């Protein structure tokens, strides 16, 4: 009897976690990924991709940056938000989880960061790139995170 009550509590607690925004969808294996394509817009020149890959432990994701065309040596704050561009909501996790991007003297960045951020399959996300650390309210780029196949699944189908 005691074991069945404990199992019931764990099942109920687990179900509650899956329905909250930003929690892990347990049906997706490590390696699930989302990619945002940053386009040149509104006179901006920065472009490229930011890809998130779910890792172990499940409370983390690896962010892979491949951006170019920016102002040399610029510092760009960024965050993942719930929602869609133009109707975004709160930041996923703490703003302190997102180290600013520091572009090289060629205006590009190719880097990887391990972040304490969970992305769920059924949630909509966007990436905001901000003008500068002193102008965090100006969004210079907004791009949706698009759910894609894990890299391992794509590689397994290659001839």
């Amino acid at each position: 009897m005691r074991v069945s009550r404990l199992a019931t509590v764990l099942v109920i607690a687990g179900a509650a976690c899956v329905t909250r925004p930003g929690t892990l969808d347990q049906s997706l294996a490590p390696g699930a990924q989302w990619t945002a394509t940053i386009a040149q817009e509104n006179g901006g020149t920065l472009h490229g991709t930011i890809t998130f890959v779910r890792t172990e432990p499940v409370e983390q994701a690896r962010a892979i940056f491949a951006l170019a065309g920016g102002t040399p040596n610029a510092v760009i704050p960024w965050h993942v938000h719930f929602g869609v561009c133009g109707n975004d909501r709160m930041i996923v996790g703490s703003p302190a989880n997102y180290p600013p991007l520091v572009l090289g003297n060629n205006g590009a960045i190719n880097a990887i960061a391990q972040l304490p951020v969970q992305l769920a399959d059924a949630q909509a996300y966007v990436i905001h790139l901000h003008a500068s650390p002193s102008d965090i309210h100006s969004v210079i780029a907004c791009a949706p995170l698009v759910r894609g196949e894990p890299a391992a699944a794509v590689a397994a189908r290659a001839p």
Side-chain angles (χ1 to χ4, degrees):
M1 176 85 166
R2 185 176 188 184
V3 172
S4 74
R5 271 190 259 162
L6 177 59
T8 302
V9 170
L10 290 175
V11 169
I12 291 170
C17 289
V18 173
T19 61
R20 285 195 330 252
T23 59
L24 182 66
D25 178 347
Q26 297 293 341
S27 66
L28 295 175
Q33 67 182 37
W34 295 257
T35 299
T37 301
I38 308 299
Q40 297 175 353
E41 55 186 48
N42 301 326
T45 57
L46 190 65
H47 61 278
T49 60
I50 302 172
T51 300
F52 278 80
V53 179
R54 183 175 293 148
T55 63
E56 291 286 347
V58 295
E59 299 84 16
Q60 297 193 13
R62 181 171 294 121
I64 304 165
F65 303 92
L67 301 171
T71 302
N73 304 310
V75 176
I76 302 173
W78 67 285
H79 306 101
V80 175
H81 289 258
F82 293 101
V84 296
C85 291
N87 187 21
D88 51 84
R89 298 181 304 280
M90 64 185 187
I91 294 172
V92 176
S94 168
N97 292 342
Y98 300 91
L101 303 176
V102 180
L103 303 183
N105 58 11
N106 61 353
I109 185 169
N110 290 295
I112 298 173
Q114 189 77 15
L115 304 172
V117 173
Q118 289 185 27
L119 300 177
D121 188 43
Q123 199 61 55
Y125 302 102
V126 296
I127 294 218
H128 282 184
L129 300 180
H130 299 279
S132 71
S134 61
D135 188 5
I136 198 77
H137 296 292
S138 295
V139 177
I140 60 171
C142 181
L145 272 170
V146 177
R147 175 84 169 82
E149 287 188 83
V154 174
R157 289 196 313 268

